Amino acid sequence: MCRGLAALSSCLERAKQLKTRLGILLHKPELGHEAESFSTSEQGTKLRNSSEEALEWKKSFDHLLKSKNGVARFHAFLKTEFSEENLEFWLACEEFKKSRSKTKLSSKAHRIFKEFVQNEAPKEVNIDHETREITQKNLTAATSSCFDAAQAKTRTLMEKDSYPRFLKSTSYQDLTEQATSHSTSKRLHT
């Protein structure tokens, strides 16, 4: 039995490594256009505003998370890396905190836990065992803050890992080039 569990654990670890490698391989410039299509159907003004807004995202991770366009583009980028579960969990927690109905709070908490936090969850986030245990204990009397520890861990992971890669991505660099070239041409015409 132990031999089987050890093999399963090893297999799961290899699968996670493959997931990471595939994400890196798929993050080529020709695939970066998924995020670009977000604004291509919009009119010129909205596109300029979006690309100019993108310059703000570089200032801090908070600027990115406060921007609807920023979150959408960051999500598209994370999908190319097969790592969107952390952002989706963070967003689910933000929405969960807005819940006012105590009766729905518990069911929503259990749904989020099953989807993101529990071992082998469909969109399992990368948190340590202790945080997972604390979060599970918090479900016994669910409050709007029962995911705070897990949400903070995933936010830190995104800020330290995914966010810097996003800022270096071709899709983000192209967007900021548009903004920079637009502001340069604007100055030349005035």
Side-chain angles (χ1 to χ4, degrees):
M1 178 82 177
C2 290
R3 179 182 269 178
L5 289 175
L8 179 61
S9 175
S10 174
C11 183
L12 287 172
E13 188 58 40
R14 282 195 307 263
K16 285 182 180 181
Q17 289 172 351
L18 278 173
K19 177 182 171 184
T20 302
R21 288 181 186 157
L22 282 172
I24 292 168
L25 288 173
L26 287 175
H27 189 65
K28 293 186 177 181
E30 61 270 14
L31 294 173
H33 296 295
E34 179 181 327
E36 294 300 320
S37 66
F38 182 81
S39 293
T40 54
S41 64
E42 296 175 2
Q43 297 300 322
T45 304
K46 287 185 180 181
L47 180 61
R48 279 193 305 274
N49 289 342
S50 176
S51 60
E52 290 170 3
E53 178 186 13
L55 295 173
E56 295 291 310
W57 306 338
K58 195 171 194 166
K59 292 180 180 177
S60 76
F61 190 51
D62 285 328
H63 279 87
L64 176 75
L65 292 177
K66 289 176 184 172
S67 163
K68 193 173 185 177
N69 288 335
V71 168
R73 288 186 184 266
F74 186 52
H75 188 256
F77 166 76
L78 292 173
K79 277 187 167 186
T80 67
E81 294 199 330
F82 301 100
S83 61
E84 68 272 16
E85 66 279 348
N86 288 331
L87 180 61
E88 290 176 4
F89 172 67
W90 188 86
L91 292 169
C93 290
E94 288 298 295
E95 195 61 35
F96 174 76
K97 289 176 184 178
K98 296 175 187 174
S99 298
R100 295 294 168 226
S101 168
K102 292 198 184 253
T103 55
K104 290 183 181 179
L105 205 62
S106 180
S107 64
K108 284 182 181 182
H110 282 84
R111 182 187 53 79
I112 291 171
F113 185 84
K114 286 179 182 175
E115 186 175 356
F116 297 103
V117 181
Q118 80 179 14
N119 283 325
E120 306 301 321
K123 296 180 179 181
E124 185 178 353
V125 292
N126 187 9
I127 56 173
D128 58 272
H129 178 72
E130 184 180 333
T131 304
R132 194 177 314 278
E133 292 296 314
I134 290 169
T135 305
Q136 188 169 15
K137 286 177 185 171
N138 289 344
L139 292 182
T140 57
T143 65
S144 60
S145 62
C146 66
F147 291 106
D148 284 357
Q151 185 183 20
K153 297 269 184 179
T154 56
R155 187 195 185 289
T156 299
L157 183 64
M158 288 188 294
E159 185 173 19
K160 302 272 187 247
D161 186 43
S162 306
Y163 174 63
R165 284 197 316 274
F166 170 69
L167 295 178
K168 292 175 186 172
S169 71
T170 305
S171 58
Y172 179 74
Q173 294 298 320
D174 290 348
L175 192 61
T176 57
E177 278 180 34
Q178 288 173 6
T180 306
S181 66
H182 176 260
S183 64
T184 303
S185 68
K186 199 186 221 180
R187 277 185 260 136
L188 292 175
H189 294 298
T190 54

